[in-house]
Amino acid sequence: MENSWAVVETTLPCVPLPPISQRQPISTKRLVIRPVREDDLEAYHELRSQPEAMIGTRRGRPDRDIDETRSAMQDLLSPKDSKAFYFGVFLASTGALIGEGGVHTMESASCGWPEIGYKFRKEFWGQGYGTEFLRALLEAWWNLPRSHVELRVSSSSIDRNGELKATEQIYATTAADNIGSRRVLEKLGFVHFLEWTEPDTQEHRLGQPIRLVGYRLSKV
């Protein structure tokens, strides 16, 4: 991936991020968005056992067993919760876990900005849940306390508001042919700014070329 970089002055949420014990549930018309807990393990495993839900993940496959799911869950719990702003997505009507998502890294390797992502069970695709979740999550993200920082970011991602200052961004990436995810991002105002090919990390097509796209959204 060819990319030029620049160091800019910008803002980011204060770190460490609030621990999950201090994160209040976020309610929307149809969803409750809250941190996952250890007692969600069985439902979390059901989500991560579905091949369609896991198709966009780094390994591109479902978890092999509940121990693999338990290991993944540990990355969302204390003390690692200070490094991500990540939540389970539950139906308000039933309490069922139908997805997960949030800011999973504070410094994307491909562009430098915090990166957001999500996954949902296949039976909930195409019903607006992804848009509803991301809209609420982004509002909570932008409302976190901020601090001024210097950050190394992709030059093509910079929305300058001065000689060295840049408006804070949040970043998302998806496969170029994932039209559904691209439409969700564009509906929420994300701007396509980056496209590249790299060797795939997914186990069933390891090393084969995959075309990826990057999107950014400016803090208002």
Side-chain angles (χ1 to χ4, degrees):
M1 174 182 177
E2 294 183 5
N3 200 1
S4 61
W5 298 81
V7 176
V8 297
E9 296 176 10
T10 188
T11 57
L12 284 180
C14 298
V15 292
L17 295 169
I20 58 174
S21 61
Q22 297 178 15
R23 298 180 194 174
Q24 296 300 311
I26 303 165
S27 295
T28 69
K29 183 178 180 180
R30 299 181 294 172
L31 302 173
V32 174
I33 301 162
R34 64 161 175 82
V36 295
R37 305 184 298 246
E38 290 184 351
D39 60 1
D40 293 316
L41 178 60
E42 185 174 336
Y44 194 53
H45 181 58
E46 289 180 5
L47 169 68
R48 294 182 59 91
S49 295
Q50 189 177 81
E52 294 86 353
M54 298 294 283
I55 197 168
T57 61
R58 184 170 181 81
R59 288 184 293 197
R61 63 160 175 83
D63 289 350
R64 292 194 172 98
D65 52 41
I66 200 163
D67 287 334
E68 196 166 60
T69 302
R70 183 180 289 108
S71 178
M73 178 179 275
Q74 292 305 309
D75 289 337
L76 310 179
L77 303 176
S78 179
K80 296 183 178 181
D81 52 344
S82 64
K83 299 179 180 180
F85 196 63
Y86 210 79
F87 296 81
V89 185
F90 300 81
L91 282 181
S93 58
T94 66
L97 175 65
I98 66 169
E100 64 169 334
V103 178
H104 53 82
T105 178
M106 290 294 290
E107 191 173 338
S108 164
S110 52
C111 112
W113 296 103
E115 183 172 349
I116 195 169
Y118 65 93
K119 66 175 71 72
F120 280 84
R121 293 180 61 89
K122 66 175 181 179
E123 55 266 39
F124 297 97
W125 294 0
Q127 301 175 55
Y129 288 111
T131 304
E132 187 172 337
F133 161 69
L134 280 181
R135 182 177 286 115
L137 189 283
L138 286 166
E139 181 178 356
W141 172 256
W142 295 133
N143 283 331
L144 290 172
R146 253 57 188 177
S147 61
H148 291 273
V149 299
E150 285 191 349
L151 192 66
R152 181 177 176 268
V153 300
S154 167
S155 298
S156 59
S157 73
I158 297 173
D159 184 2
R160 291 193 181 276
N161 59 18
E163 185 65 26
L164 297 174
K165 296 181 179 180
T167 302
E168 181 183 339
Q169 308 285 313
I170 193 164
Y171 172 73
T173 187
T174 188
D177 60 1
N178 190 338
I179 304 303
S181 287
R182 297 184 68 167
R183 285 175 177 165
V184 168
L185 294 171
E186 290 165 2
K187 188 181 298 184
L188 292 170
F190 280 79
V191 177
H192 174 212
F193 76 100
L194 195 61
E195 191 161 345
W196 74 100
T197 300
E198 68 179 29
D200 204 337
T201 61
Q202 296 190 342
E203 293 179 6
H204 65 286
R205 56 187 320 276
L206 189 64
Q208 297 181 38
I210 182 171
R211 193 71 177 166
L212 300 172
V213 290
Y215 283 79
R216 64 178 178 87
L217 179 68
S218 299
K219 186 178 188 299
V220 178

